[in-house]
Amino acid sequence: MSADTLEKPASPSPGGAEAKQIWVVYDGMCPFCTRYVMLYRIRQLAEKVHMIDARTDHPVVREVKARGLSLENGMAVKWNGQYYHGAAALHVLALLGSESGVFNRLNRLVFSRPKLGRFLYPAMVAGRRMTLKLLGRPPIAD
């Protein structure tokens, strides 16, 4: 499955440590991205959730970039050995997300629908870029 695929993610393989972890790579200088990862709750499918700032030299950030995925153009998720980017990343998070709380229910309502997510995501990226520019924050180097 490619990183831009918007299908239901595969179930984790039993017993694999990799399958019990999820990595969410987001822009730590973006107030929207930071708030999103702070509000978001993942269901018990993942035992450990790693929130990684895309502006760091973390090994998962390097893996994402090595796959040609632009972190300036979207967040990334690594789960169950697969990489998801942009709208596909939010789709995976929506499917894995808890249904508790208004934010999670709204996120699930919007991003569990692949077509709606692909339609809305470019506007979200444009809003992020405009906000960063207004705040004087640099883009993420790819």
Side-chain angles (χ1 to χ4, degrees):
M1 186 180 320
S2 76
D4 292 321
T5 301
L6 287 176
E7 299 171 10
K8 187 171 182 175
S11 297
S13 49
E18 177 84 9
K20 296 177 183 177
Q21 300 184 55
I22 186 167
W23 290 264
V24 179
V25 183
Y26 70 99
D27 184 355
M29 288 185 114
C30 171
F32 303 123
C33 303
T34 302
R35 191 75 178 145
Y36 179 87
V37 298
M38 285 174 48
L39 289 172
Y40 204 73
R41 300 286 179 254
I42 303 291
R43 283 188 272 167
Q44 298 303 318
L45 292 176
E47 288 181 7
K48 190 160 189 171
V49 179
H50 306 272
M51 301 298 191
I52 303 166
D53 186 345
R55 295 175 185 267
T56 66
D57 190 37
H58 190 280
V60 174
V61 172
R62 292 193 304 267
E63 290 173 19
V64 168
K65 289 180 177 182
R67 284 167 173 71
L69 304 175
S70 170
L71 292 169
E72 177 59 23
N73 292 318
M75 70 184 326
V77 169
K78 178 183 176 188
W79 183 67
N80 201 23
Q82 299 290 322
Y83 292 81
Y84 304 89
H85 181 252
L90 290 185
H91 177 70
V92 168
L93 291 176
L95 295 177
L96 297 176
S98 166
E99 293 183 19
S100 64
V102 174
F103 176 80
N104 282 350
R105 283 194 300 273
L106 179 61
N107 186 67
R108 191 171 177 93
L109 176 71
V110 173
F111 289 103
S112 65
R113 294 167 172 77
K115 288 181 183 179
L116 184 56
R118 282 192 302 260
F119 176 75
L120 292 175
Y121 199 77
M124 293 171 63
V125 171
R128 175 191 155 273
R129 283 193 185 130
M130 184 173 60
T131 300
L132 290 179
K133 189 172 185 171
L134 290 171
L135 293 172
R137 297 178 184 167
I140 297 173
D142 284 324

